[in-house]
Amino acid sequence: MQDSPNSTTEFQVGQRVHASGDSTRIGTVKYIGSVEGYSESWVGVDWDHGDGKHDGSINGVRYFHAKSETSGSFVRPKNLCNGISVLEALEKRYRSSSTKDEEDEMYVLSSSNKRVSIQLLGKSELDDKLSRIEELTNASLAFMGVGSPGVSCQISTTVPNIQELDLSGNLLSEWKDVGIICEQLPALKALNLSYNLMSPYKSELPLLKSIRVLVLNNTGVDWEQVELLRQSLTTIEELHIMGNSISRILPVSSSMVRGFDSLRLLNLEDNCIAEWSEIMKLSQLRCLEQLYLNKNCLSSLFYPDNGSQYYESEVTGCKPFQKLRCLLLGDNNISDLASVDSLNLFPNLVDIRLSGNPITDAVKGGVPRFVLIARLAKVQILNGSEITSRERKDSEIRYVRLVVSRLHANPEEIKQHPRFSELKNFYEIEDQPPSIGTTGGPQAISSGFLSITLKCVGASMGEKKPLTKKLPATTTVGKLKFLCDSFFKLKSMKLNLFLQEEGSPLPLLLNNDSSSLMDLGVGNNSVLLVDEDS
């Protein structure tokens, strides 16, 4: 099925179109009419991916405003397509078979350079199955130029069993068209409308009681649109609204978001939310288990105390985020340990992502993985990596020893470590740091040393056997680099040291030459990687 040429009468401003012959090059009609200096009529298009030629003006005359300096262009109507219907796309996707010419082109060359035809295993069975389109339960019509439902009554009779429908990257923009499609698919449970630029709407959608999963990534919807959707999507369980420049959560009737009584997963990644108070408006969603907030602009977070307006809803009787077990906060601007500590107050939170924040970036003064594990009492999965019981024990012991070593210089620092006393008592760790003086006898001397395994990993270092050494806990990183030069005969090579931690996907760079092994929480039997500084 080929896209037919169009006249300008078939287009209107605001309509979504794609380039003829390329259904992935999509834009919005911004102008229809003549262009000074050129014959006949033109269609001004603002292309989604910015692959135009200008900003909507030519030779000093402005015809429309494009979103960027190079996203607009003027196109002859014959070179644009206003889309096909859902049924046409289904026919094109699932009923078109390869032609004889196409099959003749499917071959490989033998050792004697002769063509050997390819026969697709099970092709006849697959063609037969696809020909029974009425049996389809999952259909993908992504980037196929779908612009309308078509004759609505024919959808339900042609594909009555569709449960999952992917319409991402098409030309749909009107919610009434989405409503028509959904009404005609009574078994539909999952719908993906990503990369369709949806127009704002004021009226409610038809009741879509079967939809469980709705994906609206990069569709331009805001929270006001989401609130209108709530009234029709009565059984929604997963809602994905990534990449929509959402900065505020705007409930309709109160300060808190109500309804969405079945919503378990809300994906707000890659938006513009900067204030945690906006997220707190979601805290009374009583079934919410997973909240994805990666790639926003959050700089801190908190859990409300008993006196807060957020604390317990008089309507639901639930504490804030009562059922939340997974919170993804990667790639935000969180830089304070108070925010990390507040995660302990969430009643059921066990899966947390903090990677990509300043608090986890050693270069920006962040803390290593073992400190996060020790501070987060209930977390079971950190940054996508499961925390084993061994890793938790080692991390908490290292953390306590690290804090002990610092308290003698600054006793007030204990206020910054809410779990310190609890962990110190649990592991029965003494308040005093280990004695490392020469006057304390063999036991005291031994207790001040750490057994460290050193492994050379630098490409130009050659093959070196790992060495295990007993070193004073006060050995600085700079001193250890000097010792490694001697241990491995590295000829004054400039070195970097990395701590290899169990459960951590990447080794931790020890980048402060003046810090001691004890200061950095390096424990007994740790493994340090010795690499050349690039």
Side-chain angles (χ1 to χ4, degrees):
M1 183 180 300
Q2 298 295 320
D3 301 329
S4 57
N6 297 299
S7 67
T8 53
T9 57
E10 295 184 62
F11 298 105
Q12 55 185 331
V13 173
Q15 184 178 18
R16 299 284 281 165
V17 294
H18 68 75
S20 295
D22 184 359
S23 59
T24 66
R25 189 176 186 228
I26 301 171
T28 303
V29 174
K30 294 290 188 178
Y31 172 83
I32 300 171
S34 60
V35 175
E36 187 176 322
Y38 297 89
S39 61
E40 301 180 353
S41 292
W42 294 81
V43 179
V45 180
D46 192 4
W47 299 103
D48 287 2
H49 297 299
D51 51 346
K53 296 181 178 179
H54 51 71
D55 64 353
S57 61
I58 291 183
N59 299 327
V61 179
R62 177 162 297 283
Y63 298 89
F64 64 93
H65 290 274
K67 63 178 179 292
S68 75
E69 294 181 358
T70 58
S71 64
S73 66
F74 289 102
V75 187
R76 292 293 190 188
K78 66 179 181 179
N79 294 324
L80 291 174
C81 180
N82 55 15
I84 58 178
S85 70
V86 170
L87 284 174
E88 287 175 308
L90 283 164
E91 293 280 345
K92 188 175 182 180
R93 173 69 176 82
Y94 292 102
R95 277 196 169 143
S96 62
S97 57
S98 56
T99 66
K100 186 176 186 307
D101 288 341
E102 289 172 335
E103 292 182 359
D104 287 343
E105 289 299 313
M106 298 172 65
Y107 64 88
V108 294
L109 295 176
S110 69
S111 57
S112 58
N113 211 34
K114 291 183 179 179
R115 291 189 179 190
V116 178
S117 298
I118 295 175
Q119 286 189 333
L120 296 177
L121 185 63
K123 182 178 184 300
S124 59
E125 291 84 351
L126 182 60
D127 287 345
D128 178 60
K129 184 176 181 179
L130 291 179
S131 69
R132 299 195 302 273
I133 197 171
E134 69 279 357
E135 297 180 8
L136 276 177
T137 56
N138 300 340
S140 176
L141 305 179
F143 293 95
M144 291 195 67
V146 176
S148 69
V151 182
S152 61
C153 60
Q154 293 180 357
I155 298 176
S156 58
T157 56
T158 306
V159 283
N161 298 309
I162 293 291
Q163 297 179 24
E164 297 181 14
L165 180 60
D166 183 358
L167 286 169
S168 58
N170 282 290
L171 308 182
L172 296 168
S173 60
E174 298 299 326
W175 284 101
K176 62 181 177 61
D177 290 336
V178 175
I180 291 171
I181 294 169
C182 292
E183 281 189 306
Q184 291 297 309
L185 297 172
L188 188 64
K189 295 180 180 178
L191 176 63
N192 189 347
L193 292 171
S194 298
Y195 295 99
N196 288 275
L197 189 59
M198 303 306 299
S199 301
Y201 63 102
K202 302 296 183 184
S203 59
E204 297 178 16
L205 282 172
L207 188 64
L208 307 176
K209 60 182 179 180
S210 65
I211 298 293
R212 302 286 191 273
V213 179
L214 181 61
V215 186
L216 295 172
N217 299 337
N218 300 97
T219 54
V221 301
D222 57 20
W223 194 263
E224 290 178 304
Q225 303 282 294
V226 172
E227 287 286 328
L228 285 173
L229 287 171
R230 173 179 60 83
Q231 301 171 46
S232 58
L233 298 165
T234 56
T235 57
I236 190 75
E237 295 178 6
E238 289 189 23
L239 180 59
H240 300 261
I241 43 179
M242 295 173 58
N244 289 307
S245 300
I246 294 172
S247 60
R248 297 194 63 198
I249 307 296
L250 298 169
V252 169
S253 56
S254 71
S255 61
M256 309 292 283
V257 174
R258 304 294 184 188
F260 292 110
D261 290 337
S262 301
L263 189 66
R264 295 182 298 103
L265 187 156
L266 177 58
N267 186 347
L268 280 163
E269 292 189 12
D270 198 19
N271 279 292
C272 305
I273 303 171
E275 299 296 331
W276 184 252
S277 57
E278 296 298 318
I279 302 302
M280 285 304 305
K281 296 175 185 177
L282 305 168
S283 63
Q284 291 300 320
L285 294 176
R286 61 186 183 184
C287 288
L288 188 64
E289 297 177 359
Q290 300 178 67
L291 180 56
Y292 299 170
L293 298 171
N294 294 326
K295 297 183 179 179
N296 274 275
C297 307
L298 297 164
S299 58
S300 63
L301 61 113
F302 61 88
Y303 190 83
D305 57 28
N306 292 346
S308 169
Q309 61 170 316
Y310 307 109
Y311 190 73
E312 187 169 312
S313 167
E314 296 179 359
V315 178
T316 65
C318 293
K319 292 181 179 179
F321 295 114
Q322 178 67 45
K323 290 192 175 182
L324 190 68
R325 60 178 181 81
C326 175
L327 178 60
L328 305 187
L329 293 163
D331 296 297
N332 277 276
N333 300 317
I334 299 168
S335 59
D336 63 308
L337 283 169
S339 291
V340 174
D341 294 334
S342 71
L343 294 170
N344 285 309
L345 301 175
F346 288 70
N348 292 293
L349 191 58
V350 294
D351 184 353
I352 297 168
R353 181 175 292 277
L354 289 167
S355 55
N357 284 280
I359 195 62
T360 63
D361 188 344
V363 176
K364 297 180 180 178
V367 297
R369 177 181 170 90
F370 82 89
V371 170
L372 294 175
I373 291 172
R375 297 185 84 110
L376 296 169
K378 295 178 292 186
V379 64
Q380 298 172 12
I381 301 173
L382 177 61
N383 297 335
S385 176
E386 184 179 358
I387 300 170
T388 64
S389 56
R390 170 67 184 274
E391 186 186 11
R392 174 161 289 284
K393 178 180 178 181
D394 289 349
S395 296
E396 290 176 344
I397 291 174
R398 287 175 60 194
Y399 172 70
V400 172
R401 287 176 174 165
L402 172 63
V403 177
V404 166
S405 72
R406 292 177 175 176
L407 288 182
H408 292 272
N410 182 16
E412 289 296 311
E413 188 174 330
I414 195 170
K415 297 176 182 178
Q416 302 172 23
H417 302 278
R419 296 198 70 215
F420 170 70
S421 295
E422 170 197 346
L423 293 174
K424 181 176 71 69
N425 294 333
F426 182 79
Y427 292 109
E428 299 180 343
I429 298 174
E430 296 179 2
D431 286 330
Q432 296 296 325
S435 172
I436 57 172
T438 58
T439 61
Q443 182 64 34
I445 295 173
S446 175
S447 67
F449 281 74
L450 302 173
S451 179
I452 304 295
T453 298
L454 302 165
K455 292 182 179 180
C456 285
V457 296
S460 64
M461 292 178 178
E463 292 189 13
K464 307 281 187 182
K465 289 183 178 181
L467 294 178
T468 299
K469 296 286 185 179
K470 280 198 171 183
L471 301 168
T474 54
T475 302
T476 65
V477 173
K479 175 66 173 178
L480 184 51
K481 289 179 181 179
F482 176 78
L483 291 174
C484 286
D485 186 52
S486 175
F487 291 155
F488 296 107
K489 298 180 172 57
L490 297 176
K491 299 179 181 178
S492 301
M493 187 180 293
K494 193 173 182 182
L495 302 177
N496 277 330
L497 297 180
F498 296 85
L499 175 62
Q500 191 173 48
E501 297 182 279
E502 182 181 352
S504 181
L506 293 172
L508 172 69
L509 173 64
L510 306 181
N511 62 345
N512 189 339
D513 282 2
S514 62
S515 295
S516 70
L517 299 180
M518 180 184 291
D519 289 339
L520 296 170
V522 176
N524 201 36
N525 299 316
S526 291
V527 176
L528 297 183
L529 305 181
V530 184
D531 197 4
E532 53 194 312
D533 187 353
S534 57

